[in-house]
């Protein structure tokens, strides 16, 4: 059902992270086209994308319909387990508190994100939930992967929203 990208991967961590972040960016573009806040996420297991999602809060009328939350649900279904212990989450924007909590609960060991979220980020910007030693699980973080395009799609979206007088 899902394409195995193992043979397509370039050598090295940076290239691998950029490769999968491009797929998350494609999801963010889908969200943008649907007039959703353009955030995309993919979850990778054994160099295979097992989940791909974008924000759908407006479409689903659901405040929890963040890209990460939808992708976590898809990945758990794909693996038949709520523990995503051998997975990497790629997301275009730093996870919020809700998504960080779900990441911890899903036991995702590595989170890779593109743009910082100074107003709501729970990985590094406002809170450091994913590395909080008081919790039962911590994540490795890789930040600023494809930061310029991840930031620009958000900046353009909110600029357009302001121009149109939308909330």
């Amino acid at each position: 059902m899902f394409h195995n990208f193992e043979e397509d991967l370039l050598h090295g961590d940076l290239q691998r992270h950029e490769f999968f972040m491009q797929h998350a960016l494609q999801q963010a573009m889908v969200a943008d086209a649907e007039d959703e806040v353009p955030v995309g996420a993919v979850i990778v297991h054994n160099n295979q994308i097992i989940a791909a999602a974008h924000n759908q809060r407006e479409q689903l009328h659901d405040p929890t319909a963040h890209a990460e939350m939808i992708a976590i649900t898809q990945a758990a279904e794909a693996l038949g387990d709520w523990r995503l212990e051998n997975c990497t989450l790629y997301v275009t924007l730093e996870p919020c508190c809700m998504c960080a909590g779900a990441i911890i609960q899903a036991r995702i060991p590595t989170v890779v994100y593109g743009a910082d979220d100074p107003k709501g980020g729970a990985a590094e910007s406002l809170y450091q939930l994913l590395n909080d030693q008081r919790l039962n699980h911590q994540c490795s973080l890789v930040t600023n992967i494809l930061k310029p395009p991840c930031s620009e799609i958000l900046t353009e979206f909110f600029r357009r929203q302001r121009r149109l007088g939308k909330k």
Side-chain angles (χ1 to χ4, degrees):
M1 177 171 166
F2 293 98
H3 177 77
N4 188 322
F5 294 98
E6 189 165 9
E7 294 178 14
D8 298 338
L9 290 176
L10 301 170
H11 297 290
D13 285 344
L14 179 60
Q15 289 85 5
R16 183 177 71 251
H17 292 323
E18 288 178 348
F19 179 84
F20 288 118
M21 188 62 77
Q22 284 289 350
H23 288 275
L25 265 168
Q26 288 173 1
Q27 288 294 313
M29 289 178 210
V30 172
D32 192 39
E34 294 175 357
D35 209 26
E36 297 275 359
V37 175
V39 177
V42 297
I43 296 180
V44 175
H45 179 261
N46 293 333
N47 291 322
Q48 180 177 350
I49 294 175
I50 61 168
H54 58 278
N55 276 2
Q56 294 183 53
R57 293 187 310 170
E58 300 296 335
Q59 179 182 355
L60 298 176
H61 309 288
D62 181 354
T64 69
H66 288 201
E68 301 97 308
M69 301 292 284
I70 296 167
I72 287 169
T73 299
Q74 289 175 1
E77 185 175 322
L79 295 178
D81 194 349
W82 63 267
R83 292 174 192 87
L84 304 179
E85 296 172 322
N86 296 309
C87 295
T88 301
L89 169 68
Y90 290 84
V91 61
T92 57
L93 180 65
E94 179 181 359
C96 69
C97 290
M98 174 183 66
C99 294
I103 290 163
I104 291 165
Q105 292 300 314
R107 310 296 194 268
I108 296 173
T110 306
V111 174
V112 180
Y113 69 84
D116 298 324
D117 185 356
K119 294 182 178 181
E124 290 186 314
S125 294
L126 288 179
Y127 305 101
Q128 294 78 42
L129 291 178
L130 297 178
N131 291 316
D132 191 325
Q133 296 296 312
R134 297 170 296 175
L135 300 174
N136 65 331
H137 175 74
Q138 291 80 43
C139 300
S140 297
L141 292 175
V142 180
T143 65
N144 300 321
I145 299 298
L146 299 183
K147 183 176 183 172
C150 290
S151 298
E152 184 60 30
I153 192 170
L154 287 158
T155 300
E156 282 303 314
F157 174 82
F158 288 114
R159 185 176 293 138
R160 188 170 62 247
Q161 295 298 307
R162 285 190 298 274
R163 226 180 9 252
L164 295 172
K166 293 186 176 181
K167 0 178 188 172

